[in-house]
Amino acid sequence: MKRPGTNKRPLRLFSGPLLLVGAGKMGQAMLDGWLARGLTPKKIAVVDPQPAKTVKALARRGLALNPKKLPSAAAIVIAVKPQTAPDAVPPLAAAVGKGALVVSIMAGRTLAFLEGKLPKGTAIVRAMPNTPAAIGRGITVAVANGRVSAKQRKLASDLLAAIGTVEWVADESLMDAVTAVSGSGPAYVFLLAEAMTQAGVAAGLPPALAAKLARETVAGSGELLHRSALDAATLRQNVTSPGGTTAAALEVLTGPGGLDALLTKAVAAATRRGRALAG
Ligand SMILES: NC(=O)c1ccc[n+]([C@@H]2O[C@H](COP(=O)([O-])OP(=O)(O)OC[C@H]3O[C@@H](n4cnc5c(N)ncnc54)[C@H](OP(=O)(O)O)[C@@H]3O)[C@@H](O)[C@H]2O)c1
């Protein structure tokens, strides 16, 4: 059974203006998603020192690119690098319109940091997406400050849904663990593909074939997991016959010091690092 999809066009009714600050990899992915969901470029303003050609092309369709005076925005999405934040965020105070929502996707930049740089009482959502956002298949976890209304929360969900699935947490301290699991997670999966390639070569396969088998196995299994209503454990059990080849491998992978233990240690290390870097 296929899992239910998301509403693809919820933004047509958003009246804007929407201000995007930072149109790099993530900013552009969101921009593409918003346009695909029916938001007109006329309702969008973008601030970026060196906008890509595709963003410049949108200016010809009515998008306001690097306007001299920032619009009084209904929503502001901050997608600059965290280290740029001390310079990029304070000028945005001028663009926070009445009842405006600010959504930040900057890794490690806390609600307290943003509250300190924006007008008192601003509704702010801190969100953590991940790399598959580039193909609209990310997962983003969001947390709201006490000023975000139910309507603004829905708007934040709609804006973030442009790059994939959205989940909410109530406790901001969980964001370090979220970053360690889904934010950094794509790197773990790519490492799995690398390790499977090396293991295939060690087992005698030509390197190009080993790389192709690993890549397609990781990608195909990810797609199956995405489309299936079954959970990962059930899908794993479904390909594991007792006494068979998969069982022999899983005995090694789940044994003492195996994958479960390693990943628990890895996620704990990433969580600690996130906590140390947050600000
Ligand atoms: N990429 C990911 O997988 C990922 C995952 C989770 C979270 N995030 C978060 O998403 C945010 C964006 O990441 P990214 O990968 O999209 O970075 P990126 O490609 O470097 O994009 C950032 C953009 O902001 C622009 N910029 C720099 N200073 C600015 C300013 N003062 N005002 C407006 N724009 C400015 C940059 O221009 P220049 O290049 O000319 O400096 C660049 O186009 C980061 O905070 C990151 O923590 C990213």
Side-chain angles (χ1 to χ4, degrees), residues 21-27 47-50 78-82 84 87-88 105-107 127-131 183:
V21 184
K25 289 182 282 299
M26 280 288 166
V47 175
D48 191 290
Q50 286 173 303
I78 306 174
V80 298
K81 290 276 191 212
T84 315
D87 294 329
I105 64 157
M106 293 183 291
M128 184 65 202
N130 65 0
T131 312

Side-chain angles (χ1 to χ4, degrees), residues 209-249:
L209 178 60
K212 186 156 193 182
L213 297 186
R215 186 188 187 105
E216 294 305 317
T217 301
V218 168
S221 306
E223 187 62 26
L224 180 61
L225 184 60
H226 173 69
R227 291 196 204 180
S228 175
L230 301 175
D231 63 13
T234 308
L235 288 168
R236 172 176 53 76
Q237 282 153 14
N238 288 351
V239 289
T240 313
S241 324
T245 56
T246 310

Side-chain angles (χ1 to χ4, degrees), residues 135 186 188-201 205-224:
I135 54 163
Y188 315 156
V189 176
F190 300 140
L191 179 64
L192 176 67
E194 289 176 66
M196 280 174 70
T197 303
Q198 284 165 21
V201 172
L205 294 175
L209 178 60
K212 186 156 193 182
L213 297 186
R215 186 188 187 105
E216 294 305 317
T217 301
V218 168
S221 306
E223 187 62 26
L224 180 61

Side-chain angles (χ1 to χ4, degrees), residues 12-77:
R12 202 171 267 160
L13 299 176
F14 173 61
S15 55
L18 171 58
L19 173 60
L20 172 67
V21 184
K25 289 182 282 299
M26 280 288 166
Q28 281 183 65
M30 285 191 286
L31 197 50
D32 290 347
W34 297 331
L35 297 170
R37 282 153 186 264
L39 190 65
T40 158
K42 294 189 177 106
K43 289 182 188 170
I44 307 173
V46 169
V47 175
D48 191 290
Q50 286 173 303
K53 270 189 197 148
T54 47
V55 180
K56 285 185 189 157
L58 286 169
R60 291 193 284 278
R61 289 173 49 200
L63 177 143
L65 184 55
N66 291 321
K68 280 203 180 73
K69 185 174 177 298
L70 291 178
S72 175
I76 301 174
V77 176

Side-chain angles (χ1 to χ4, degrees), residues 112-227:
F113 169 88
L114 294 158
E115 283 165 349
K117 306 280 179 217
L118 296 168
K120 205 168 179 297
T122 303
I124 305 172
V125 168
R126 173 186 169 192
M128 184 65 202
N130 65 0
T131 312
I135 54 163
R137 285 281 297 276
I139 177 137
T140 300
V141 177
V143 61
N145 75 353
R147 299 297 181 146
V148 176
S149 67
K151 211 173 143 194
Q152 287 170 324
R153 197 180 156 102
K154 164 91 174 55
L155 174 60
S157 286
D158 289 347
L159 291 171
L160 294 168
I163 48 170
T165 306
V166 183
E167 290 290 329
W168 288 84
V169 290
D171 175 359
E172 188 180 7
S173 70
L174 293 178
M175 291 302 270
D176 296 316
V178 162
T179 304
V181 173
S182 57
S184 305
Y188 315 156
V189 176
F190 300 140
L191 179 64
L192 176 67
E194 289 176 66
M196 280 174 70
T197 303
Q198 284 165 21
V201 172
L205 294 175
L209 178 60
K212 186 156 193 182
L213 297 186
R215 186 188 187 105
E216 294 305 317
T217 301
V218 168
S221 306
E223 187 62 26
L224 180 61
L225 184 60
H226 173 69
R227 291 196 204 180

